[in-house]
Amino acid sequence: MPILSRPALVEHLVRTRIAGDVATPRDNNLSHYRKLANGDRHYWLGLELGDRWTDEQDVLAVMAERCGVNDDPAHRAGQDTIDPELTVDALDRMAARLRKAAAGRERVLFATGHPGALIDVHSRVAAGLRAKGCDIVRIPGGLIADEGYVVQFADVAVFERGASLWHTHSPEPMNAILDALGEDGRPDLVVADHGWAGRAAQRGIDSVGYADCNDPALFIGEAEGTLQVAVPLDDHVVDPRFYEPMTAYLLDAAGLLD
């Protein structure tokens, strides 16, 4: 696949609604910001936010700055946005951390709570790092969390229940992995999303990940310095192949296509 220039990638992100006018409605975004501020831990995505984010307007301000949603608190319904320029900026920051991992031949763990959309993105990055000599973590077998199993496909940890891969925000699958690995098996870097990324960051591991505009916790984690990078994007567009040009851009920027 040819590597898109930054302007061409921005156009692609907007056209495929990975960014720009995204499918997630404004009222859904605001509802999640409010629930995070009200202390609903489901929306903390494995981070420990204490009482630092109890004002919904503070959450909105972070999301406007780091994700590009509309910053007008009076805009309560209808269209909301992700700024594609912020998406590419964050991809560049993620690429810098991946380049460091490759240079140090680090031990890297990949995980996703969105297997229907992002597993291929993570898998391709894992392959790129392995080719540079990184140790891609192979998780132990038999891990259980949230009444299901933590398993691995194409180098990516996922949550399985009822013979299906599940969409999950829970941090418990990441807890299960890290507890089983112990200190000796601890990864140097986690590349993930949802509660997988948040909990790894909360446990002191360098973590980078992807987050939608209705998942404010990872952006707050980045703002506080707990999470290294949160890439704003729609994390489940209609065709997972739409992410391929973005993934190629990331791999190229990280020096993983050489």
Side-chain angles (χ1 to χ4, degrees):
M1 175 174 292
I3 308 303
L4 298 182
S5 66
R6 180 183 179 114
L9 179 60
V10 166
E11 189 279 331
H12 170 79
L13 295 174
V14 172
R15 179 172 52 81
T16 58
R17 301 185 74 185
I18 294 172
D21 289 342
V22 292
T24 308
R26 175 68 167 191
D27 57 326
N28 183 263
N29 284 343
L30 295 182
S31 172
H32 287 202
Y33 305 169
R34 184 179 314 112
K35 289 173 181 176
L36 180 147
N38 288 341
D40 187 335
R41 297 178 71 86
H42 175 78
Y43 296 91
W44 288 12
L45 300 183
L47 293 165
E48 295 297 334
L49 303 180
D51 59 359
R52 300 185 299 278
W53 297 92
T54 57
D55 188 334
E56 177 188 345
Q57 301 311 315
D58 290 341
V59 179
L60 175 60
V62 168
M63 294 302 292
E65 175 188 15
R66 294 182 176 269
C67 188
V69 302
N70 190 314
D71 64 358
D72 181 2
H75 178 50
R76 309 298 299 177
Q79 184 66 56
D80 214 341
T81 58
I82 293 175
D83 184 341
E85 297 288 349
L86 293 178
T87 303
V88 182
D89 287 345
L91 288 170
D92 287 340
R93 295 196 303 276
M94 180 182 282
R97 184 60 185 86
L98 295 174
R99 186 180 291 271
K100 177 183 176 183
R105 297 190 173 185
E106 291 182 348
R107 181 169 165 80
V108 187
L109 171 64
F110 289 83
T112 185
H114 256 295
L118 298 179
I119 193 168
D120 191 52
V121 175
H122 288 302
S123 180
R124 291 183 184 216
V125 176
L129 286 176
R130 176 180 281 112
K132 292 294 184 180
C134 288
D135 177 14
I136 305 305
V137 173
R138 183 176 175 87
I139 71 170
L143 299 182
I144 297 174
D146 295 332
E147 300 181 347
Y149 297 94
V150 186
V151 297
Q152 196 166 30
F153 291 97
D155 292 322
V156 185
V158 293
F159 179 67
E160 180 185 38
R161 192 172 176 185
S164 298
L165 303 186
W166 277 45
H167 169 217
T168 178
H169 287 208
S170 173
E172 294 308 320
M174 180 57 73
N175 275 334
I177 293 172
L178 297 180
D179 290 347
L181 291 173
E183 284 300 314
D184 290 342
R186 181 183 176 94
D188 301 303
L189 175 66
V190 168
V191 184
D193 46 71
H194 284 178
W196 307 79
R199 181 47 54 90
Q202 188 63 48
R203 291 181 61 159
I205 299 170
D206 281 6
S207 300
V208 299
Y210 306 94
D212 209 328
C213 55
N214 63 353
D215 291 329
L218 295 190
F219 297 103
I220 287 174
E222 184 184 31
E224 290 193 329
T226 309
L227 191 85
Q228 293 200 326
V229 181
V231 179
L233 48 67
D234 186 318
D235 57 14
H236 202 137
V237 294
V238 294
D239 188 341
R241 289 174 294 187
F242 289 164
Y243 297 109
E244 290 178 356
M246 181 195 80
T247 308
Y249 177 94
L250 175 65
L251 290 168
D252 182 62
L256 301 180
L257 292 180
D258 297 336

